[in-house]
Structure formats: C-alpha cells, structure tokens
C-alpha cells in the first residue's frame, strides 16, 4: 500500500496524460473538444456578454516587440499557426506519399476542392449582392474545417469505404492551402518588406537544415518562432508562416531514423492543436449573443445569408460538381468502392466551415463588431446545418453499403 502511495501522483499523472494525448490524436475526440469549447463560449457570451468580451479583448504581450495583442488575436495569429503548421505537413505528405503524388488520383479531389472554393464564393456574392460592404466577405464560405469534417465522418460513417475519407482529407488539405493563399493575398494591407524578407530567409534556412537532415528539435523550435514573429510583424497573417514551415518539414526518414521529422512533429503537435490551440481559438471566436434581435438581424442580413448559402449550397454544388465534371471529362476516375450518392453526402460535409471561416470572417469584418458577430453566427449555423444533413445522408449510405456487403457474403456462401 505504501509502495502505491509513493508512486502517486506522478506515474499515474504521466500515464493519464499519455492516454489523453493519444486520444487527442483521434479525429472524433478533437472534434468533440472543439465543439465543447464552442458551446462554452456561446453559454458564457449569452450569460454575461460583457465579461466574455472583456476576456477576449484582454491585451497581453510585450509592447516593445509589437506583440501586445488581444487574446483573440493571439488565438488567430499564434495558436492557429500550429494548426496550419500541421496542415502544411499534411499537404506535403499528400504530395509525397498520398493522393496528390499521383496526378490521375489527385485530379478528383483537387478539381473538387478548387470548384468547392470558387462556387461558394459566387453563391455568396449572388445572395449578398448590394448589401453594404458585402464584397469583403466573399472568401468566408470557401473554407472547409478539416478537423470537424473528419470528426463527423468518423462518428457517423466509420464503416464507409476508406476511399471516401481519402477524398475528403485530400480535398480539405487542398482547400486549406487555398484558404491560406487567400489570407496571404487578399487580407494583407500593409507589408513590411524587410521583415517579410527576413522571415522568408529564416523559413528557407529551416528548409535547408531539413534537407541536409540536421537533427535537433531545439534548432528548429527557435527558427520556427523567429519565422512566425517576423511574418507577424511584416503585416502578412502569421498563419502563413505555419503553413510554409510545414511544407519545409522533411517527410522522408533518413538512415537511422525510425520516423521522419514530419511524422514526429505531427505526433507531438497534433494533440496540442486539437486539445488546446483550435479549441482556444473557437472559445475566443464563437461567443455570440443569440437573442431574438441578433437572430432576427441575422436572417435579414444578406451578407450572413450569403455565408450560409455559400457553405451549405455552394460547397455542395462546387465539390460535387467539380468531382462529377472531372470524371465526366475523363480527367479523373471515381473509386469502384464509391457511389455518386456517397460523394453527394461528403460534398455536403465539406460545408462545415468553422475554424477557417471564422478566421476569415474576423479578418474581413474585424473593424465592424456587429457585422462580425452576425457573420460568426452564420458560420456556426451553416456548419451545424451541413453537419446534420451530411450525418443523416452518411448514415443512410452506411446502411446501403452494409446491406450490399451482406448480399455479397450471402452469395459467396
């Protein structure tokens, strides 16, 4: 008994921490944590909006480094850089080892992703046409939340063919790359060229050391932080540094290495991203007041309606239409394990914008708190609608696939 007491709490704490970390690598757990953070933000904002707003606008950080930012800005610019670093690694993995390594296989998710960004933007512009400052929000419905979408797929349709998950993952990865390009190009007003050049040089050095197989995490962590800082003060959104560093990370194992640096970075940072970075961003971004006036204003605001239509309708038309057109033109081939009804369900799932849509909405309307709050409500509503519709359709498709498999097994006997 004494021996057990002597071991507590550290061995037990370490064991449970390890179990929690492993759980956070699962898509379903990460999605649940993000959902809980969103619910907590909504509850707090509707119980005490003043205290919630005071928290998210609390300024912290050293002023002499130009890093005296509000907490929600730290979440946008700092914590999401971790999320986008992992996204950059996923993009590179897809190009080297995944679907994007084969042009024929890549055509289907790439063309679906591209159409899935263009069509929602057009739907948004059509619905919001004539509303004040509506043109600023065209990019909001172009994004797909890869973590949330994969979580819904894992929970509702784990029995679906793996080809469907591969399609969603690859198209969402391309979507993330497109979203960060949009942020870099369209949401950068004033650029400090010297700081940006210095940031690019540091990212280049990081990539050179990776290519030369230089080892040592404490070499790369300071370089990554310096690159993030230089891009942050340059005026370009700091999440761009995250994606660039992810793309520079080596995905091949060197002799004597059990895992590549990309695999190690993903293994160590994904729980941080899923368990803290993205939920903290969601908590500091999703707290909107949902009273009658706010909901009535949302339904009467064509910008918000454009966001909802873009995500729910535009994403479906874009992703499904892009995939269908790619196959129709002979540029791609649909997996034999999939049916077009499967593609329709996952195309609706792509309408879960959430993380990146909230980020772009904040960038587009950050100087207009009332409109930004309404847009946030629209993103949340659209993501909920897309999640529910996709979950229902996916469950129907799962039953169809299981029944078809049972018929095959019966005939085989």
């Amino acid at each position: 008994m004494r021996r057990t007491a002597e071991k507590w709490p550290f061995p037990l704490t370490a064991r449970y921490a390890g179990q929690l970390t492993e759980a956070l690598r699962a898509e379903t757990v990460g999605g649940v944590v993000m959902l809980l953070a969103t619910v907590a933000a909504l509850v707090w904002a509707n119980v005490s909006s003043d205290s919630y707003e005071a928290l998210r606008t609390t300024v912290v950080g050293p002023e002499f480094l130009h890093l005296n930012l509000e907490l929600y800005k730290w979440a946008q610019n700092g914590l999401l850089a971790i999320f986008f670093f992992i996204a950059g690694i996923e993009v590179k993995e897809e190009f080297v080892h995944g679907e994007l390594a084969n042009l024929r296989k890549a055509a289907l998710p790439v063309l679906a992703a591209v159409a899935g960004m263009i069509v929602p933007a057009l739907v948004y512009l059509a619905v919001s046409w004539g509303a004040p400052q509506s043109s600023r929000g065209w990019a909001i419905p172009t994004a797909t939340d890869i973590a949330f979408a994969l979580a819904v797929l894992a929970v509702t349709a784990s029995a679906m063919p793996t080809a469907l998950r591969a399609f969603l993952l690859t198209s969402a990865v391309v979507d993330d790359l497109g979203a960060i390009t949009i942020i870099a190009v369209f949401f950068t007003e004033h650029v400090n060229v010297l700081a940006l050049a210095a940031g690019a040089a540091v990212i280049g050095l990081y990539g050179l050391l990776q290519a030369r197989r230089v080892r040592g995490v404490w070499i790369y962590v300071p370089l990554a932080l310096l690159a993030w800082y230089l891009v942050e003060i340059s005026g370009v959104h700091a999440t761009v540094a995250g994606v660039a560093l992810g793309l520079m990370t080596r995905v091949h194992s060197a002799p004597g290495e059990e895992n590549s640096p990309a695999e190690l970075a993903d293994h160590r940072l994904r729980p941080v991203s899923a368990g803290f970075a993205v939920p903290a961003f969601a908590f500091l971004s999703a707290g909107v007041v949902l009273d009658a006036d706010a909901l009535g204003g949302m339904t009467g605001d064509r910008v918000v309606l454009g966001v909802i239509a873009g995500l729910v309708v535009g994403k479906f038309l874009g992703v499904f239409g892009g995939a269908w057109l790619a196959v129709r033109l002979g540029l791609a081939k649909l997996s034999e394990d999939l049916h077009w009804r499967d593609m329709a369900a996952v195309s609706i799932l792509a309408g879960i914008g959430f993380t990146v849509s909230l980020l772009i909405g904040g960038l587009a309307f950050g100087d207009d708190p009332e409109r930004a709050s309404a847009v946030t409500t629209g993103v949340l509503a659209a993501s909920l609608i897309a999640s529910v519709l996709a979950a229902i359709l996916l469950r129907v498709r799962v039953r169809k696939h299981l029944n078809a498999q049972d018929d095959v097994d019966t005939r085989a006997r």
Side-chain angles (χ1 to χ4, degrees):
M1 195 72 172
R2 182 182 298 169
R3 192 174 303 155
T4 302
E6 287 173 354
K7 290 183 178 180
W8 188 86
F10 298 107
L12 285 177
T13 302
R15 186 181 72 188
Y16 291 139
Q19 292 173 346
L20 177 61
T21 300
E22 194 60 39
L24 286 170
R25 293 190 181 100
E27 291 147 2
T28 51
V29 176
V32 169
V33 173
M34 182 164 53
L35 180 60
L36 290 175
T38 303
V39 172
L42 289 170
V43 170
W44 189 346
N46 283 274
V47 170
S48 177
S49 60
D50 291 340
S51 62
Y52 174 79
E53 191 62 26
L55 172 69
R56 69 187 298 271
T57 56
T58 298
V59 176
V60 295
E63 186 173 356
F64 73 96
L65 290 176
H66 304 289
L67 290 178
N68 51 325
L69 306 174
E70 297 97 333
L71 282 181
Y72 80 92
K73 283 287 187 181
W74 274 110
Q76 283 184 356
N77 298 12
L79 295 180
L80 281 193
I82 301 173
F83 170 81
F84 278 108
F85 175 75
I86 294 173
I89 288 176
E90 288 177 333
V91 170
K92 190 165 185 178
E93 287 278 9
E94 286 294 320
F95 271 111
V96 176
H97 301 303
E99 296 285 311
L100 298 178
N102 184 303
L103 284 178
R104 182 73 172 173
K105 289 183 178 179
L108 186 67
V110 168
L111 292 175
V114 171
M117 298 182 77
I118 295 172
V119 176
L122 295 176
V123 170
Y124 166 86
L125 290 172
V127 174
S128 66
W129 187 263
Q133 299 180 324
S134 62
S135 61
R136 294 165 60 179
W138 65 270
I140 297 171
T142 62
T144 293
D145 189 296
I146 185 170
F148 226 138
L150 287 174
V152 173
L153 183 65
V155 170
T156 61
S158 58
M160 290 291 282
T162 56
L164 192 66
R165 183 188 183 281
F167 170 83
L168 177 61
L169 174 62
T170 308
S171 59
V173 162
V174 175
D175 191 288
D176 274 348
L177 190 58
I180 205 67
T181 303
I182 288 172
I183 290 170
V185 174
F186 295 99
F187 294 97
T188 300
E189 296 180 0
H190 307 290
V191 178
N192 182 329
V193 177
L194 186 60
L196 184 59
V202 173
I203 293 170
L205 176 59
Y206 175 99
L208 178 64
L209 293 175
Q210 284 284 314
R212 290 182 176 272
R213 299 178 178 178
V214 175
R215 302 182 191 181
V217 66
W218 296 113
I219 298 173
Y220 294 109
V221 170
L223 286 176
L225 291 174
L226 180 59
W228 174 87
Y229 171 70
L230 291 169
V231 174
E232 166 67 17
I233 65 172
S234 75
V236 175
H237 202 273
T239 51
V240 174
V243 169
L245 290 166
L247 291 171
M248 288 291 181
T249 303
R250 179 162 52 87
V251 296
H252 289 295
S253 299
E257 288 182 337
E258 187 175 345
N259 301 105
S260 69
E263 290 171 321
L264 289 174
D266 185 282
H267 186 77
R268 291 169 180 168
L269 289 179
R270 188 174 292 274
V272 177
S273 175
F276 176 67
V278 174
F281 167 77
F283 179 76
L284 293 169
S285 302
V288 290
V289 177
L290 299 177
D291 57 17
D293 291 338
L295 293 175
M298 181 188 76
T299 57
D301 189 335
R302 277 185 292 158
V303 168
V304 180
L305 294 177
V307 169
I308 296 173
L311 283 169
V312 177
V313 179
K315 271 292 183 182
F316 167 74
L317 294 177
V319 174
F320 185 82
W324 181 85
L325 193 61
V327 173
R328 185 75 174 176
L329 295 176
L331 301 174
K333 185 179 179 181
L334 187 67
S335 170
E336 295 179 357
D337 296 331
L338 297 178
H339 190 279
W340 281 111
R341 293 191 184 95
D342 303 328
M343 298 298 289
V346 85
S347 298
I348 293 175
L349 191 59
I352 302 176
F354 206 76
T355 305
V356 185
S357 290
L358 290 177
L359 173 61
I360 296 176
L363 296 175
F365 297 108
D367 59 349
D368 185 349
E370 187 175 342
R371 172 60 62 76
S373 179
V375 165
T376 297
T377 306
V379 170
L380 295 176
S383 298
L384 177 62
I385 293 168
S387 299
V388 172
L389 289 177
I392 293 171
L393 291 176
L394 285 168
R395 291 306 301 166
V396 171
R397 295 306 302 160
V398 165
R399 286 197 292 271
K400 293 287 185 182
H401 278 277
L402 291 176
N403 290 338
Q405 187 59 47
D406 288 342
D407 291 342
V408 171
D409 293 342
T410 301
R411 285 197 296 269
R413 287 201 217 71

